Amino acid sequence: MASAANSLRICLRTCRQLPTVRPVVRPAFAARPFARRRALSSTPARQADENDGAEAPEEVKRYYNPAEVIKDLLREEGLTEQQRETLTQTLTQWGQMPEEDKKRFEDMRREVHASTSQIRYVVKPKKDSFWNEEEKDTDLITDEIGEDDFEEDDMLSIGHAKLDEHRDAREYARIAVWEMPLLSRFAKDFVPPTAEEPLRFRYTTYMGEFHPADRKVVVEFSPKDVPELSEAQQLKLMKLAGPRYNPEKGLIKMSSDRFEHQAQNKRYLGDLVQKMITAAKDPTDMFEDVPLDTRHHDFKVRPQFPKEWRITEERQKELQEIRRKALVLDEAKRKSGALIDGKEVIKNYLESMPAHREPEPSMVRRGGPAKGRLGKGKW
């Protein structure tokens, strides 16, 4: 009967490809015995798998029985007559085999299935292993690649950031070359402000970026530039301005950032200046008994260059004449030999000195040994 079993094995190998069965649970024969808890142990006890000891599913049992496998193959379409005839003969031989040989053959298939079960199952890393990585926190993932691992098919985030900077630079360069020259059609000639426009506004911008200080507006004007005010009214306006008046420059400076937009702050400052001018025109009280207070301003003394020291044309001609007379006097002394040459005097002095000079006297300490840092001896 060994020949019948051998022919059956050859037929199953040549006529079909065994189906790949992926059971959900482990079969009973591959179960691991549960390790009992020990009284003294240096390693923690592990709980047995919940599928250990479970019975094998029905499809695995059919895989152990060759007769069921051959019947499934005969139901398939696309088999040739020779293959069907071979499978039929194999099924007949399997039916004629004794039960002992069938049981031995099923045990052999069960052993092969158990030895290859590790290939069919997905091996999960152990949480207590040394090389196991921790689970990724999806809330902290900020990479552009996403949650997938880096597969060496793309640049890192630093490279993408450099590319973004390069794109921004190219975009601004493109705007400067192609779009900014078109702004020349909107250019207007500068027209200086007239006497009817004494107010000067100053704005702050951060080139499109949001900033709390970009809504601030500053206005400056001189009371003397307001044509509709007299000298007494101008003095009253200076007194109304208080610490906002600069006595050195003669300007009144005010600012506002209480509103959200620059136009609103400008409108507020314009109305405030108009109210101050209206109050200065009020002849009811001209504040004649109130002196102009300038204690808020720190006067800085700037030294001026004396006018007497300035070089005029007459002073320049006088200095040139003095220099010319000094040169003529030196030339006369040189010809007569009365002019003293400093370099020549130093050279003659060094040559007249002896080759060996006596050593200079040095200070000698008198008294006992030194005590402390400097000692108590006499010099």
Side-chain angles (χ1 to χ4, degrees):
M1 300 305 295
S3 59
N6 190 17
S7 62
L8 178 61
R9 184 173 66 255
I10 294 175
C11 290
L12 291 175
R13 183 184 301 176
T14 56
C15 296
R16 66 177 293 274
Q17 182 180 0
L18 294 178
T20 303
V21 181
R22 296 181 180 272
V24 180
V25 297
R26 295 185 179 181
F29 52 81
R32 303 188 306 271
F34 179 78
R36 294 183 177 180
R37 183 179 298 274
R38 294 173 290 176
L40 297 176
S41 175
S42 59
T43 57
R46 298 180 57 188
Q47 186 177 0
D49 192 355
E50 59 181 358
N51 296 325
D52 290 348
E55 188 178 357
E58 188 66 26
E59 55 180 352
V60 178
K61 293 182 178 180
R62 291 174 58 86
Y63 175 70
Y64 297 155
N65 191 354
E68 300 294 338
V69 176
I70 296 174
K71 291 179 181 179
D72 293 340
L73 291 176
L74 290 175
R75 298 190 189 97
E76 295 181 0
E77 299 179 357
L79 297 177
T80 60
E81 295 295 334
Q82 182 179 3
Q83 292 177 347
R84 289 184 178 278
E85 183 179 357
T86 304
L87 290 175
T88 304
Q89 294 178 0
T90 304
L91 184 59
T92 304
Q93 292 178 1
W94 175 260
Q96 297 176 358
M97 289 178 60
E99 294 297 332
E100 184 179 354
D101 293 342
K102 290 182 180 181
K103 188 176 184 305
R104 189 186 305 112
F105 189 79
E106 290 181 1
D107 294 341
M108 180 185 65
R109 290 177 62 88
R110 187 177 290 104
E111 183 180 356
V112 173
H113 187 274
S115 61
T116 58
S117 60
Q118 297 181 357
I119 303 176
R120 294 189 299 273
Y121 289 108
V122 178
V123 180
K124 298 181 180 180
K126 298 179 180 179
K127 293 299 181 181
D128 55 350
S129 62
F130 181 77
W131 296 108
N132 181 37
E133 298 180 355
E134 297 181 359
E135 296 182 358
K136 295 182 178 179
D137 190 358
T138 56
D139 297 338
L140 301 178
I141 294 177
T142 57
D143 197 355
E144 298 87 352
I145 302 177
E147 300 180 5
D148 300 336
D149 295 337
F150 184 65
E151 299 180 356
E152 304 294 340
D153 57 349
D154 194 7
M155 293 187 300
L156 297 176
S157 301
I158 300 177
H160 282 288
K162 284 294 182 182
L163 281 181
D164 292 339
E165 294 179 3
H166 186 66
R167 293 189 188 99
D168 294 340
R170 288 175 62 91
E171 180 65 22
Y172 285 119
R174 196 176 298 112
I175 292 174
V177 173
W178 298 104
E179 298 184 14
M180 294 189 68
L182 301 179
L183 300 177
S184 60
R185 67 182 69 176
F186 303 102
K188 297 181 181 180
D189 297 335
F190 173 73
V191 179
T194 61
E196 299 178 356
E197 299 175 351
L199 303 182
R200 290 180 294 178
F201 292 93
R202 180 172 59 85
Y203 309 95
T204 305
T205 180
Y206 291 87
M207 304 300 292
E209 296 292 336
F210 173 77
H211 196 275
D214 60 355
R215 59 186 180 182
K216 182 179 180 181
V217 180
V218 182
V219 62
E220 289 182 350
F221 69 97
S222 176
K224 299 180 180 180
D225 294 339
V226 182
E228 55 193 45
L229 296 179
S230 60
E231 293 184 3
Q233 293 174 350
Q234 292 176 4
L235 182 59
K236 183 179 179 180
L237 182 60
M238 297 176 190
K239 296 176 181 178
L240 290 174
R244 294 170 180 82
Y245 174 68
N246 189 345
E248 281 190 289
K249 298 181 180 179
L251 297 176
I252 296 176
K253 181 178 179 182
M254 297 183 296
S255 63
S256 174
D257 59 351
R258 62 173 59 188
F259 300 102
E260 184 178 0
H261 301 286
Q262 291 181 349
Q264 295 174 328
N265 291 309
K266 182 179 180 182
R267 181 75 255 179
Y268 170 75
L269 291 175
D271 296 341
L272 185 60
V273 172
Q274 187 63 34
K275 291 179 181 179
M276 293 176 63
I277 294 175
T278 304
K281 290 181 180 180
D282 187 9
T284 305
D285 188 3
M286 297 300 295
F287 298 160
E288 295 177 354
D289 56 337
V290 179
L292 181 61
D293 190 5
T294 59
R295 291 175 297 176
H296 61 274
H297 184 75
D298 184 13
F299 290 89
K300 297 180 180 179
V301 180
R302 295 182 176 86
Q304 300 293 332
F305 194 80
K307 295 182 179 180
E308 295 79 7
W309 293 1
R310 296 179 182 178
I311 300 297
T312 60
E313 294 182 0
E314 293 79 6
R315 179 61 178 170
Q316 190 174 3
K317 292 179 181 180
E318 182 182 354
L319 293 175
Q320 290 178 358
E321 184 64 20
I322 293 174
R323 295 191 188 99
R324 189 185 64 80
K325 291 182 181 180
L327 291 175
V328 172
L329 182 62
D330 291 344
E331 185 65 21
K333 290 182 179 180
R334 188 182 64 80
K335 290 181 180 181
S336 62
L339 184 66
I340 300 175
D341 189 359
K343 294 182 179 180
E344 190 68 23
V345 172
I346 295 174
K347 181 179 179 181
N348 295 335
Y349 173 76
L350 294 176
E351 291 178 355
S352 62
M353 291 181 63
H356 300 284
R357 294 184 300 174
E358 297 181 359
E360 297 181 358
S362 58
M363 301 177 63
V364 179
R365 184 175 61 85
R366 295 179 300 172
K371 295 181 180 180
R373 185 174 181 181
L374 299 178
K376 297 183 179 179
K378 298 182 180 179
W379 294 86

